[in-house]
Amino acid sequence: MKKDFRVQYPLWQMGFALLFLLFAIVITGAISNFAKANSSFTYSVELGALEGFMVFLLLPVFIGMVLLFGTKISKYNKEHPRNKITIWGIKPAEYMEDDEAWQMITTKATQKVYTFFSWSLPLSAVFHLFLPASQLLIILNIIVLSMTQYIIYYVNIRKHTMEEEEE
C-alpha cells in the first residue's frame, strides 16, 4: 500500500507548493509595470539578473516535475483501471475508498484537516487584518496552510499504511 500513488500524492502536492513559493519569491522581486491608456492596457514584468537566473533554474525543475507527475498518474491509472486518478476531478486523488476501512481512514484524515482549517483560517484572517501584509506574506501564509494540510493528511494515511505493512 505504501507504493500506492494516492499515498504519495500529498507529497507531490507539497513539492508543487514549494516550487510555487519559489516562483512567487522570484516574481515579487521583479518589477511590474501597469499602463492603462484610453483604449489599451499593457502589463510588463522585468526580471533582474538574479530573478532571471532563478526562473532559468526553476522552469526546468517545474517541467520535469509535471512530466514525472503525469507519468506516475498514467502508470497508476493503467495498473488500477477501477480507481483511476483524474487531475481535474472534484474529489481529491488522495481519497482511498476501496473498502469501508479505507473510507473510515480517509474520513478521519479529512476530519483532522477540516479541524485544522476551522482554526487556522480565522487566525490567518485576524493576522492579516491587523498586520500589514505584503503579497508575498499572503502567498506564504496560503502555502504554509496548504503544506500543513497535506502533512496532516499524509501522516494520518501513512500511519495506517505502516500498520497494514506490519501485518
Side-chain angles (χ1 to χ4, degrees):
M1 192 61 157
K2 177 172 81 171
K3 293 186 179 183
D4 190 330
F5 186 69
R6 295 171 296 178
V7 173
Q8 300 169 1
Y9 195 83
L11 298 174
W12 280 93
Q13 296 295 68
M14 286 187 271
F16 281 115
L18 285 175
L19 198 57
F20 178 74
L21 177 62
L22 292 174
F23 271 119
I25 291 169
V26 169
I27 295 300
T28 56
I31 299 168
S32 298
N33 295 314
F34 295 97
K36 183 179 178 189
N38 291 337
S39 62
S40 67
F41 171 77
T42 60
Y43 175 74
S44 66
V45 175
E46 295 177 32
L47 295 174
L50 180 62
E51 290 91 0
F53 181 70
M54 291 295 293
V55 168
F56 181 73
L57 291 177
L58 292 174
L59 206 51
V61 171
F62 175 72
I63 292 169
M65 280 181 67
V66 167
L67 291 174
L68 188 58
F69 184 67
T71 304
K72 290 264 193 188
I73 287 178
S74 208
K75 181 182 175 188
Y76 177 84
N77 287 341
K78 285 178 185 171
E79 292 174 358
H80 303 90
R82 301 180 92 211
N83 296 325
K84 287 188 174 186
I85 294 175
T86 175
I87 296 174
W88 309 112
I90 293 174
K91 186 172 92 172
E94 298 96 337
Y95 287 179
M96 293 183 279
E97 298 180 337
D98 302 339
D99 55 29
E100 288 180 16
W102 277 105
Q103 284 178 349
M104 286 184 58
I105 293 166
T106 301
T107 300
K108 280 185 175 183
T110 53
Q111 283 175 343
K112 289 179 181 182
V113 170
Y114 178 81
T115 302
F116 164 72
F117 274 121
S118 69
W119 286 99
S120 64
L121 288 177
L123 290 174
S124 260
V126 168
F127 174 77
H128 288 296
L129 185 65
F130 291 111
L131 292 174
S134 67
Q135 293 171 337
L136 186 58
L137 185 60
I138 294 169
I139 290 171
L140 177 66
N141 182 34
I142 292 169
I143 289 176
V144 166
L145 292 176
S146 69
M147 293 289 285
T148 307
Q149 161 198 339
Y150 289 120
I151 289 168
I152 291 169
Y153 186 88
Y154 179 75
V155 165
N156 283 283
I157 294 297
R158 187 73 179 111
K159 179 173 56 173
H160 292 286
T161 58
M162 294 292 281
E163 290 172 2
E164 208 175 74
E165 289 170 7
E166 291 173 1
E167 293 174 1

